[in-house]
Amino acid sequence: MKTLVLLKMVPDVVEELEVAGDGASLSRDFLRLIINERDENALEQALILKERHQGTVTVVAPDAPEVDDVLYTALARGADRVVKVTGLEEGVGSAEATVTVAAALSSVAGLLPVDLILTGCQAIDDLDGLVGPLVAHQLGLPYVGIVTGLDVHPGGMGRCLREYPGGVRGSFELDLPAVVGIQGAEKPPRYVPIAKVRAAMTSGTIETVAGSPPGALPLRVVEMKKPEVAERAEMIAGGLDDIASRVCEILAGRGLL
Amino acid sequence: MPGAVWVIAEQWRGGLSEVTYELLALGRQIADDRGAALEAVLLGSGVVGLAESLGLADRVLYADSPAFAEPVGEVGSRALAALATERKPTVVLVPITNVSWDLVGLLPARLGVPLVNFCMDVAAVGDGLEARCLVFGGKMEVRAVPESEPVVIGVLPGARRADAGRSTKRPEVEPVAAPAPETCGVRLLGYEEPEAGDIDITQQEVLVSVGRGLQGQANLDLAEELAELLGGAVSASRPAVDMGWLPMTRQVGKSGMLVKPKLYIALGISGAPEHVEGMKDAALIVAVNTDPGAPIFNVAHYGVAEDLLEFVPVLIDKVKEHKS
């Protein structure tokens, strides 16, 4: 079975985000990028399926700072090939990057056709497009998102569970090939020792393929700022003891203590 | 007159979602500002009755077919794309919920039109639109202008009050023929219900909710002790459930439960929009997070910018003191 995993890097929101001088994008000065968490789950699910059914896992990602580390880590975890799509400007929108990556897939030797394409069902920077649906549409494949369980049955049929509200999950049957937007894998992403990643950096290769961005941006961001809210929380400051006393007062005042 | 503003009405398990009315209130404003008609579009099976409850719309287009009984993105997006190609709406509002999420991505892809996602407000500006959207997990807000129309807009829950979207007026109701694909590669076989037997967090008056900041299951005792002292239960944000610290029945937010307790204490929860959606209507929200810029403080009434692992033990002692 051939599985393709699409990954992308997103800003690490644990770090402080700053607006750039243009007032409409993120400052790149201290920006730390990390793998989109749900994409990492998609990779894990692909590796689980490989262990269960054999086959290969190829990872494709648009070029970005730190992406090499993520791709070498993917090799160390068990991916067979990793490919980087170059030619995209930094800070390009999700839709343009996705369309570029999808178009570049056909220039990766021996990649298409695949049985499954897995990617995260959402990313925090998906302002103008979602990776899974865009790729599915471009390749003419069916799509299901918010998937938390996926397996492949003999005869080329996929089975997956998709989350609906209130803890309800829909059970789906999928004709393969298909694109699946992963929310969570069956298990948390596997740990791989740093020595193994270093070994992958020495012995592994990141293939590169040049993408041609389609150009036109359908959505123009005119301003970016930290959200202004009508009423922010009243912050309780002081020593831990004082804060705890104040919280108790508040709860007691509402009859909650 | 410009093309209509569409609201994709969300039906699931025989009823219309609250968010449908929120979108109607938003759509009404956009339509009025541009002098356009507001149309609600409803796909379902046996949904004429539901169509008539969408009175804030000028017109309700509904497609009634067993194929539309359950919300499946592949099916709905094909039908809606065909209908939109024929009717030419200029703006299509789709709710960002677990029911409609696949549509948010698939519909603009099929139509080849721009998507504006994570939107919390939209205003008509000149001949165009300007959207306010929350990105990077709620850490940044952007003003974004679609360069062309039609445009599909993914709208976050809470953009308007649902009450503002209800009307006793009977809308003009028009049955439409939307193509139901024979095969689309995706078949819903049925639903798996959440496991019963655990605590029902929607019935609790006090919830102590834990997130990634808890750092490990070993620290869950702290939250449990606090919850017990306050007569409540422990709930969780998505990461805490994904890491296996608590079962899915305790999850608050988009894929989990909508809760409205008297007291919600958020411990180590950053406040991503998917979580906030599930708890924003709690009567009193107290948040504890090391990051003073965390979005959770935008919805909390009181905030404590401390490490929960240091603060909660002190709070537990104080609560005990208070109670004795």
Side-chain angles (χ1 to χ4, degrees):
Chain A
M1 194 177 70
K2 278 173 77 179
T3 305
L4 167 62
V5 178
L6 299 176
L7 302 182
K8 70 170 172 176
M9 304 299 284
V10 295
D12 182 356
V13 296
V14 171
E15 307 283 322
E16 192 65 18
L17 300 181
E18 295 295 339
V19 178
D22 68 357
S25 62
L26 278 187
S27 164
R28 303 266 142 187
D29 292 349
F30 302 101
L31 189 63
R32 204 173 92 92
L33 297 179
I34 54 168
I35 183 174
N36 172 32
E37 193 181 345
R38 293 177 180 92
D39 293 348
E40 192 169 23
N41 294 340
L43 171 61
E44 182 59 35
Q45 188 61 41
L47 295 172
I48 290 171
L49 292 180
K50 179 186 164 182
E51 285 162 355
R52 202 175 284 158
H53 304 290
Q54 279 82 49
T56 58
V57 173
T58 302
V59 176
V60 177
D63 195 8
E66 331 283 347
V67 76
D68 287 8
D69 289 351
V70 166
L71 292 176
Y72 283 125
T73 305
L75 281 176
R77 281 176 168 162
D80 300 277
R81 289 177 77 182
V82 294
V83 181
K84 186 164 74 169
V85 179
T86 59
L88 282 157
E89 278 176 42
E90 264 187 54
V92 73
S94 172
E96 190 173 7
T98 303
V99 171
T100 306
V101 168
L105 293 178
S106 57
S107 21
V108 182
L111 180 60
L112 297 179
V114 292
D115 300 298
L116 264 177
I117 299 180
L118 305 188
T119 189
C121 65
Q122 182 182 331
I124 53 172
D125 65 344
D126 282 340
L127 177 65
D128 63 350
L130 304 183
V131 175
L134 281 167
V135 170
H137 178 69
Q138 278 213 311
L139 301 180
L141 302 177
Y143 175 78
V144 181
I146 333 186
V147 165
T148 50
L150 170 68
D151 205 353
V152 176
H153 293 270
M157 202 72 87
R159 287 290 286 271
C160 69
L161 288 171
R162 180 193 187 279
E163 291 191 350
Y164 282 85
V168 176
R169 297 198 289 179
S171 170
F172 282 86
E173 193 173 61
L174 287 170
D175 293 337
L176 302 185
V179 181
V180 179
I182 296 285
Q183 168 73 53
E186 285 166 44
K187 286 186 288 194
R190 64 195 63 195
Y191 171 76
V192 53
I194 192 76
K196 237 179 137 182
V197 178
R198 290 220 181 92
M201 284 175 171
T202 323
S203 61
T205 313
I206 297 176
E207 300 170 49
T208 55
V209 52
S212 351
L217 288 170
L219 190 66
R220 189 162 46 92
V221 174
V222 293
E223 186 187 15
M224 179 180 287
K225 59 181 182 181
K226 297 195 174 163
E228 277 170 24
V229 283
E231 240 182 313
R232 249 181 94 78
E234 180 187 326
M235 300 304 285
I236 307 168
L240 292 181
D241 230 49
D242 299 336
I243 300 173
S245 298
R246 176 82 183 103
V247 171
C248 284
E249 266 173 47
I250 293 161
L251 301 188
R254 303 261 187 142
L256 292 161
L257 256 190
Chain B
M1 189 162 146
V5 173
W6 273 15
V7 165
I8 306 303
E10 182 178 291
Q11 67 88 16
W12 191 50
R13 308 202 124 180
L16 287 165
S17 309
E18 284 286 288
V19 72
T20 298
Y21 299 102
E22 299 175 10
L23 263 60
L24 279 174
L26 176 62
R28 183 74 267 168
Q29 187 190 327
I30 302 168
D32 290 350
D33 285 350
R34 353 171 89 192
L38 176 65
E39 296 179 341
V41 185
L42 176 62
L43 302 182
S45 180
V47 287
V48 188
L50 296 181
E52 284 172 352
S53 72
L54 300 167
L56 200 69
D58 299 308
R59 190 177 304 110
V60 181
L61 311 177
Y62 75 95
D64 207 312
S65 160
F68 302 137
E70 304 300 336
V72 174
E74 273 293 329
V75 176
S77 64
R78 285 161 199 251
L80 290 169
L83 199 57
T85 305
E86 180 196 328
R87 301 283 182 134
K88 302 192 169 35
T90 51
V91 181
V92 181
L93 305 180
V94 186
I96 297 179
T97 63
N98 272 20
V99 172
S100 298
W101 182 240
D102 292 358
L103 269 187
V104 171
L106 286 170
L107 189 54
R110 284 200 197 296
L111 290 169
V113 306
L115 168 69
V116 188
N117 201 9
F118 304 134
C119 186
M120 51 181 181
D121 201 5
V122 187
V125 175
D127 291 338
L129 293 171
E130 192 175 279
R132 283 203 306 134
C133 309
L134 272 183
V135 288
F136 307 131
K139 283 261 184 160
M140 285 285 175
E141 176 185 323
V142 296
R143 278 194 299 130
V145 176
E147 303 273 50
S148 63
E149 291 186 13
V151 58
V152 175
I153 302 182
V155 184
L156 290 167
R160 290 289 184 279
R161 284 184 310 108
D163 286 348
R166 294 184 215 279
S167 166
T168 49
K169 189 171 74 70
R170 278 172 73 99
E172 182 189 326
V173 172
E174 181 189 342
V176 291
E182 289 279 306
T183 58
C184 64
V186 170
R187 289 166 297 282
L188 175 67
L189 306 175
Y191 292 112
E192 289 187 1
E193 302 301 322
E195 286 165 42
D198 193 29
I199 289 167
D200 182 356
I201 58 170
T202 64
Q203 300 302 313
Q204 298 289 323
E205 294 199 336
V206 173
L207 286 174
V208 175
S209 212
V210 298
R212 205 190 294 270
L214 191 70
Q215 290 181 33
Q217 194 166 21
N219 300 320
L220 200 58
D221 291 355
L222 276 179
E224 273 164 358
E225 187 176 358
L226 182 60
E228 196 176 318
L229 279 168
L230 297 170
V234 175
S235 56
S237 68
R238 168 122 225 163
V241 172
D242 280 352
M243 283 184 269
W245 301 342
L246 283 157
M248 234 185 117
T249 44
R250 305 291 186 101
Q251 187 175 322
V252 174
K254 194 189 281 293
S255 295
M257 306 295 170
L258 302 184
V259 298
K260 292 182 186 179
K262 287 183 179 166
L263 171 62
Y264 190 89
I265 300 184
L267 301 177
I269 291 175
S270 69
E274 302 92 87
H275 181 74
V276 168
E277 181 187 328
M279 47 63 80
K280 64 182 188 320
D281 295 326
L284 178 64
I285 302 169
V286 180
V288 182
N289 196 301
T290 46
D291 175 9
I296 191 73
F297 295 125
N298 297 343
V299 289
H301 302 96
Y302 294 95
V304 177
E306 297 286 348
D307 184 343
L308 77 95
L309 298 180
E310 288 169 21
F311 175 67
V312 174
V314 181
L315 181 61
I316 286 171
D317 288 345
K318 285 284 170 196
V319 171
K320 282 182 183 162
E321 239 174 68
H322 222 278
K323 290 180 81 135
S324 60

